[in-house]
Amino acid sequence: MGNVFCLFCGCIGQSNVGVVEKWGRFEKLAQPGLNFFNPFAGEFIAGVLSTRINSLDVKIETKTKDNVFVQMICSIQYRVIKENADDAFYELQNPEEQIQAYVFDVVRAQVPRMTLDELFEQKGDVAKSVMEELEKVMGEYGYNIEHILMVDIIPDPSVRTAMNEINAAQRMQLASVYKGEAEKILLVKRAEAEAESKYLGGVGVARQRQAITDGLRENILNFSHKVEGTSAKEVMDLIMITQYFDTIKDLGNSSKNTTVFLPHGPGHVRDISDQIRNGLMEAESGRVNGV
């Protein structure tokens, strides 16, 4: 609802307050609604003030403790105190300029004491300091400070680029550490797996040889008991010859084109059996001497 005036009356809109003067001197405040005046007694409406909340954005350029120039955008929400509307009407001609001046003064006194990182972390403290100062000063002029927000902090573009590069370098360093730890774990696990594989391979070879030895011993004993007049040496020679011909047969049946040169003849089998027998006898002799 707007404000409507005539010679003898006036209608003050909602969220507004009128200032009534009599012969050029403040007389009273006109509340929202219909108000009557006596022009013959010198009464008239000198002006109307809105009691709604106003918002003012202030851009401040200042320097931090570590010599970084920043721009700060401060949003101030204020309103006229209805009961003190006459002070707001007569004391201040331009309240926005007055608010800006005090914001500049407080911010430029607080920010140079902080580094850039501290400013980002403590911007709420800066807003609190500005609000305390404005409430104390503007309250005398009939204004109430509702809220103050530090909307944005904008460093110099070169500083922002440097900060991003530092952040990126730190993240790359951290990534390198994690990558190195992962490679270290992989190498350790691979070495452990290789050691375990070699150990199990050794166990398998040992068991295989033990099984071969046990099988040969059993064959020799069975053959000696079933065929009278045979010695263990003769049985061993027979087994070696049999295995020799089985090996030749396997080589001949192989599908791969591989040429193997072996000394061929039963005599060579006897030489191999002699070597095995000598080895077993030396091992047995060493065991007895060790005891």
Side-chain angles (χ1 to χ4, degrees):
M1 181 177 180
N3 302 301
V4 181
F5 304 99
C6 64
L7 185 60
F8 296 98
C9 65
C11 186
I12 306 298
Q14 186 66 33
S15 300
N16 291 293
V17 61
V19 178
V20 181
E21 292 183 352
K22 184 177 182 180
W23 303 118
R25 183 177 180 179
F26 173 71
E27 177 67 16
K28 63 179 180 179
L29 295 175
Q31 301 301 320
L34 182 62
N35 294 268
F36 293 93
F37 313 105
N38 185 0
F40 300 106
E43 292 182 352
F44 68 97
I45 294 290
V48 177
L49 291 176
S50 174
T51 57
R52 295 179 181 178
I53 295 178
N54 295 308
S55 181
L56 174 64
D57 291 336
V58 182
K59 182 180 288 186
I60 315 109
E61 185 173 3
T62 184
K63 185 180 73 170
T64 62
K65 185 178 181 180
D66 47 354
N67 296 322
V68 177
F69 284 90
V70 295
Q71 284 188 349
M72 302 180 64
I73 299 177
C74 182
S75 180
I76 300 102
Q77 296 178 350
Y78 66 97
R79 71 193 308 169
V80 173
I81 303 174
K82 186 180 295 186
E83 295 78 11
N84 300 330
D86 54 328
D87 293 333
F89 185 77
Y90 291 106
E91 296 294 335
L92 282 180
Q93 183 176 2
N94 193 330
E96 292 186 354
E97 289 185 359
Q98 186 76 5
I99 291 173
Q100 285 182 349
Y102 280 103
V103 171
F104 285 158
D105 182 65
V106 175
V107 171
R108 288 176 176 170
Q110 291 280 337
V111 173
R113 302 176 185 175
M114 305 177 180
T115 63
L116 183 60
D117 292 336
E118 292 173 346
L119 178 59
F120 276 99
E121 294 173 359
Q122 303 175 19
K123 66 176 184 178
D125 296 339
V126 178
K128 183 179 179 181
S129 299
V130 173
M131 187 167 184
E132 291 176 353
E133 184 67 21
L134 286 179
E135 282 182 339
K136 181 174 63 176
V137 174
M138 298 302 295
E140 299 177 359
Y141 300 119
Y143 286 90
N144 183 48
I145 307 300
E146 300 291 332
H147 298 285
I148 293 181
L149 300 174
M150 288 297 171
V151 179
D152 200 2
I153 300 174
I154 308 173
D156 186 82
S158 60
V159 176
R160 297 173 66 181
T161 302
M163 291 175 65
N164 290 333
E165 291 178 353
I166 292 173
N167 195 323
Q170 291 176 345
R171 292 183 180 275
M172 289 181 64
Q173 182 180 5
L174 186 61
S176 299
V177 172
Y178 284 131
K179 184 178 180 180
E181 290 294 331
E183 291 179 353
K184 177 182 176 181
I185 294 172
L186 183 61
L187 291 175
V188 170
K189 292 298 181 182
R190 186 179 298 169
E192 291 177 353
E194 185 175 356
E196 184 69 17
S197 176
K198 289 181 178 180
Y199 170 76
L200 295 176
V203 172
V205 171
R207 290 179 178 177
Q208 180 186 20
R209 291 176 178 175
Q210 183 65 38
I212 293 174
T213 303
D214 294 341
L216 290 174
R217 183 186 299 111
E218 184 178 355
N219 289 334
I220 292 171
L221 292 175
N222 291 335
F223 196 88
S224 299
H225 290 317
K226 292 181 180 180
V227 181
E228 296 181 357
T230 58
S231 64
K233 178 180 179 302
E234 294 174 344
V235 175
M236 190 65 184
D237 291 341
L238 178 61
I239 292 174
M240 291 298 297
I241 292 173
T242 303
Q243 290 184 345
Y244 174 79
F245 283 111
D246 288 341
T247 302
I248 296 298
K249 180 180 179 182
D250 292 337
L251 290 175
N253 294 332
S254 176
S255 60
K256 296 181 180 180
N257 296 324
T258 303
T259 302
V260 180
F261 294 95
L262 293 174
H264 184 65
H268 292 92
V269 178
R270 180 177 295 277
D271 294 337
I272 295 174
S273 64
D274 291 340
Q275 293 177 11
I276 294 175
R277 182 172 59 256
N278 293 334
L280 293 174
M281 292 175 66
E282 290 176 358
E284 183 67 19
S285 176
R287 186 180 64 82
V288 173
N289 292 332
V291 175

